[in-house]
Each structure stands twice: as structure tokens, then as C-alpha cells.
Amino acid sequence: MRPVVYAHRGGAGLAPENTMAAFDTGLAAGADGIELDVRLSLDGVAVVIHDATVDRTTGASGPVEARTAVELAGLDAGHHFVRDGTYPFRGRGIGVPSLRAVLDRHRGTSI
């Protein structure tokens, strides 16, 4: 029996954590499923982000719960991700996704 492999925060070493880019990349790399974190936005939408603030993973600052899901989706969640000394995901329109969007896109995936 082989072990089951979950991509931590979607594959945080490969793409910005808890983003569609990370989930797509982690699954493409062979993960059996994805692990993710969920918080509530100002408007009560379940969004996928680890920290209570957006500071560490986006180009903005402040609490997750102080922004709507639409505002969170518009943040640059690739802003701080570094690979080989570059920022390959910065400015590419990768925002904080809603849990619904992740579940819809990866229907049938073990989460």
C-alpha cells in the first residue's frame, strides 16, 4: 500500500500557498489531494487563506475579516512568493479564492 500524499496549502513550495495556482500545481505534481485553510470574509464567505491577516501572503495588509470576498479575490496573493530570487507570480491576478471556487474547480479531489 502506498502512502496518500496531500499538497500542504496546495503545494506552497511550488506556487503561492492556498491559491488556485498552488492547488493546480500540487495536483499536477502528483498529490492525491490538497490541504487548505479557511477563514470568513467580512461578508461571511468562506475564503481560503491561512493567516488571520493578508500581510504575509499578499501585497496588502490588515485582517481577512475586514474585507469582502470580492476584495480578497482582487488582492495579489502571489506578491511575496519567491522562487530562485524572483517573484514569478507577482502581478498575475492570483487572488484569495473562495472555498466554493476551489471546491467547484477541484470537484472529486480529496480535500
Side-chain angles (χ1 to χ4, degrees):
M1 175 183 246
R2 76 173 187 81
V4 177
V5 176
Y6 281 83
H8 180 70
R9 297 185 191 163
L14 304 172
E17 68 179 60
N18 282 314
T19 64
M20 292 294 199
F23 303 135
D24 293 346
T25 303
L27 291 168
D32 298 303
I34 53 177
E35 178 272 339
L36 50 77
D37 303 281
V38 178
R39 294 192 174 272
L40 290 179
S41 64
L42 177 64
D43 50 347
V45 175
V47 294
V48 182
I49 187 167
H50 177 76
D51 298 349
T53 69
V54 298
D55 301 47
R56 184 178 61 83
T57 56
T58 75
S61 64
V64 171
E65 65 184 12
R67 296 175 188 262
T68 66
V70 169
E71 291 170 330
L72 292 163
L75 297 180
D76 185 357
H79 186 80
H80 293 295
F81 183 85
V82 179
R83 181 187 300 144
D84 300 325
T86 67
Y87 298 88
F89 292 94
R90 187 177 278 183
R92 290 191 37 207
I94 298 169
V96 176
S98 70
L99 178 60
R100 172 57 42 212
V102 173
L103 294 175
D104 286 347
R105 183 170 183 148
H106 296 289
R107 190 173 309 278
T109 299
S110 183
I111 297 178

